[in-house]
Amino acid sequence: MERVLIIKAGYSEFLEEEKDSRTVSLGDVLRITPILHLYKDAHVTWLTDEKAFPLLEGNEYIDRLLRLDWLTFHQLQKERFDTLINLEKVPGICAFADDIYAVRRFGFRFDPESRKAQAYDSATEVLTVSSDIESKKSNNRTVQELLFEMVGSKWNGEEYILGYKPKTKEEYDIGLNTQVGKKWPIKAWPIHYWDALERILKKEGFNVTRQDTYNQEILTDLNAYMDWINSCKLIVSNDSLGLHLAIALKKLLIGLFGPTTHREIHFYGRGQAVLPEKILSCLPCLSSTCQQGENCLNHISPETVYNKIKSLINKTNINDSIIQND
C-alpha cells in the first residue's frame, strides 16, 4: 500500500504569500481536502496544527492524524513514505520536510541560499500566484485545479471531505455567517448591513439564524459551529471558514467578496459570489487593511444580497423545502 504524507497546518495559505505566521487558517486546511480523493487506496498521514483536528478527525481517507510539533518531527524523520506533499511555505517546515525520506515529492521545499520556500517543478505556478500579486489578481483557476495539477492529476469536480459528522438537522432557512478570522478583518461585511438583511428576510417570512447572536458556544467551539452551519439550508457568508464549511456540508451559499478574489472558490453549482456594485480599480486588493479609507464591502447592499438569495433559491428549485413562516 502506498504511504502518503500530507503536511498542511494552515500557517501559510495555499495561494497566499508566506508571512511566517503561526495563525491557523482553518478554511485553507479544509479546502485542501479534495486531494484525498486521489489517495483513497493509500495509507495517508496528515500532519497539521491541533486547532485543525476537528475538521480532519473522522475523515475516512486519513489513517493517521498527527500534531505538528518537534516530537512528531523526530518520528517522521525515521519513517519512509512513497509520496510526500508539503503544502506549507513556512521555511522551517519546508526544511523539516526535506529531511523526511520520500520517493516522490510535491509542493514546497527549502532553499538554503534564499532561506525561503521554493517550489518543486509541479508547484511552480502555485508559488508564482502566491508570491506575485499581479499573477494572483489575474488568476482564473480554482484552488482545486491548481492543487490537483501540483500532484500530477486533473481535478474532475471532487468535493471537500469533512471528517466531522454534524449532530443537527436542517431547521433554518437561512444562516447569516457574520464573523471573519483575525488574519483578514477587512473581509467583514458591515454589521448594520447584516442587521438590515436580517430584517428583510424575516419580513419576507424566512426562518433566519445568525452566527453572532445565536449562541456563544459556536464562536468558541468548532464542533458546535459546524452543527450550526449544518442546521441551515442556505448560508450567507463573508469569505471565511464558514464559507468553506458551507461548501463541505453542501449548503446553498451566497459568498460576499471584495478584497479577496472569488475566482479561486468553486461553489459546486450550489452557490454564487456577490461582488461590490461600485466598480473600484483597487479590487481585489488582497490586503488585510484597506488603503482607500472605505471598505469595498460597503458597496454590497443588503437589497442586492436578498435578491441574490431569491435568485439562488429559484435557480436550485428548493422552494418547497424552504420553511418560511406564513
Side-chain angles (χ1 to χ4, degrees):
M1 181 181 292
E2 180 183 8
R3 289 172 170 262
V4 177
L5 173 61
I6 298 173
I7 303 174
K8 182 60 185 175
Y11 297 150
S12 58
E13 296 194 29
F14 186 63
L15 291 182
E16 298 292 339
E17 184 179 6
E18 166 52 27
K19 296 181 174 64
D20 201 14
S21 169
R22 291 300 182 271
T23 302
V24 178
S25 176
L26 294 173
D28 201 59
V29 173
L30 184 56
R31 69 177 179 175
I32 295 301
T33 57
I35 199 175
L36 290 168
H37 290 279
L38 298 175
Y39 301 104
K40 292 179 179 180
D41 299 322
H43 183 282
V44 175
T45 298
W46 190 304
L47 182 64
T48 192
D49 189 282
E50 63 183 339
K51 292 184 179 68
F53 269 43
L55 299 175
L56 301 173
E57 286 177 320
N59 192 304
E60 61 181 317
Y61 300 131
I62 298 177
D63 298 279
R64 282 196 308 173
L65 185 60
L66 300 180
R67 183 172 62 185
L68 195 155
D69 60 24
W70 68 273
L71 286 173
T72 308
F73 285 0
H74 282 297
Q75 175 184 335
L76 292 175
Q77 286 172 339
K78 298 296 184 180
E79 297 187 18
R80 290 172 174 262
F81 295 91
D82 299 292
T83 302
L84 186 153
I85 306 168
N86 175 32
L87 300 174
E88 290 294 329
K89 297 188 287 289
V90 176
I93 296 177
C94 291
F96 150 71
D98 289 350
D99 287 339
I100 298 175
Y101 177 89
V103 178
R104 293 174 294 276
R105 296 175 178 273
F106 302 104
F108 307 105
R109 60 180 177 81
F110 180 70
D111 179 45
E113 296 299 323
S114 65
R115 300 176 183 173
K116 295 181 180 179
Q118 293 295 329
Y120 290 107
D121 289 345
S122 58
T124 300
E125 183 175 357
V126 171
L127 191 61
T128 299
V129 172
S130 303
S131 58
D132 181 73
I133 191 167
E134 294 306 319
S135 295
K136 185 169 176 64
K137 285 184 177 183
S138 62
N139 176 50
N140 288 312
R141 309 180 72 198
T142 64
V143 164
Q144 292 93 320
E145 289 178 276
L146 293 168
L147 176 64
F148 274 55
E149 285 189 12
M150 174 188 284
V151 296
S153 296
K154 181 180 180 181
W155 178 64
N156 291 306
E158 288 86 353
E159 300 235 12
Y160 292 27
I161 305 175
L162 180 65
Y164 182 71
K165 303 300 184 286
K167 299 177 177 62
T168 54
K169 295 182 179 180
E170 290 183 343
E171 58 178 303
Y172 299 103
D173 292 330
I174 298 170
L176 305 182
N177 190 69
T178 60
Q179 305 298 292
V180 296
K182 295 179 181 179
K183 272 189 177 182
W184 289 88
I186 195 175
K187 290 181 179 180
W189 200 39
I191 287 296
H192 65 280
Y193 280 10
W194 287 111
D195 295 340
L197 178 61
E198 183 179 17
R199 288 193 296 269
I200 294 170
L201 291 170
K202 287 183 174 180
K203 183 179 178 181
E204 294 299 318
F206 289 98
N207 187 1
V208 180
T209 179
R210 180 166 161 168
Q211 181 190 13
D212 56 342
T213 61
Y214 176 77
N215 186 322
Q216 185 65 31
E217 186 181 16
I218 69 171
L219 301 177
T220 57
D221 184 296
L222 187 49
N223 288 346
Y225 182 41
M226 290 187 280
D227 285 339
W228 175 75
I229 293 280
N230 194 60
S231 72
C232 306
K233 292 181 172 67
L234 184 152
I235 292 289
V236 182
S237 180
N238 303 295
D239 180 15
S240 64
L241 171 61
L243 180 140
H244 293 287
L245 285 170
I247 293 173
L249 291 167
K250 297 179 171 58
K251 301 298 175 180
L252 295 181
L253 175 62
I254 296 292
L256 309 179
F257 291 84
T260 54
T261 176
H262 67 286
R263 293 187 296 272
E264 296 173 1
I265 306 296
H266 186 75
F267 291 91
Y268 294 94
R270 299 184 293 268
Q272 185 175 354
V274 182
L275 307 179
E277 295 138 35
K278 184 177 180 180
I279 298 176
L280 300 169
S281 60
C282 56
L283 296 183
C285 66
L286 307 174
S287 174
S288 58
T289 58
C290 180
Q291 307 299 314
Q292 304 299 319
E294 182 183 17
N295 192 332
C296 55
L297 291 173
N298 290 341
H299 297 291
I300 299 177
S301 71
E303 291 76 17
T304 293
V305 177
Y306 171 69
N307 289 331
K308 295 292 185 181
I309 291 170
K310 292 292 288 184
S311 175
L312 182 60
I313 290 172
N314 292 333
K315 178 182 176 182
T316 51
N317 294 317
I318 65 156
N319 288 292
D320 292 341
S321 68
I322 288 291
I323 299 168
Q324 280 193 278
N325 301 314
D326 293 328

